[in-house]
Amino acid sequence: MQKILKDKIIEVCNKKIAAKGENVGISFYAFFKNKNDNPELLMEAATWWIKTHKLDHFEKAVKIKSLVNAISTQ
């Protein structure tokens, strides 16, 4: 996973958890603007989320943060 994506995921998860608590759910779309300005990064996130980990559409932000923290950056 690219460092820019890993950093963005951690940042968004931290913000969501701080605002709504440990049970807040999150989708991989939360890491991107409504405008598709980086399709390669979006596909990387989708592939990691759907194909690699077979996650549901919404998952707990704490779970995603933990999974991302467990991987190394490229």
Side-chain angles (χ1 to χ4, degrees):
M1 178 180 288
Q2 294 181 49
K3 182 174 181 353
I4 189 170
L5 180 56
K6 183 177 179 178
D7 291 347
K8 183 65 174 176
I9 291 172
I10 297 298
E11 175 189 349
V12 170
C13 286
N14 285 339
K15 285 180 181 178
K16 295 281 188 182
I17 293 166
K20 298 188 177 189
E22 299 250 332
N23 287 323
V24 67
I26 198 165
S27 164
F28 69 86
Y29 288 114
F31 313 126
F32 300 93
K33 300 175 185 175
N34 287 338
K35 184 178 180 185
N36 189 6
D37 58 354
N38 193 335
E40 292 83 17
L41 204 59
L42 175 61
M43 288 306 297
E44 182 178 343
T47 300
W48 178 85
W49 191 284
I50 298 166
K51 289 181 91 178
T52 304
H53 292 285
K54 298 177 180 21
L55 299 171
D56 290 335
H57 184 76
F58 281 95
E59 293 286 349
K60 302 285 186 209
V62 292
K63 176 181 180 178
I64 300 304
K65 184 178 168 182
S66 177
L67 286 170
V68 170
N69 278 328
I71 60 176
S72 61
T73 57
Q74 293 179 351

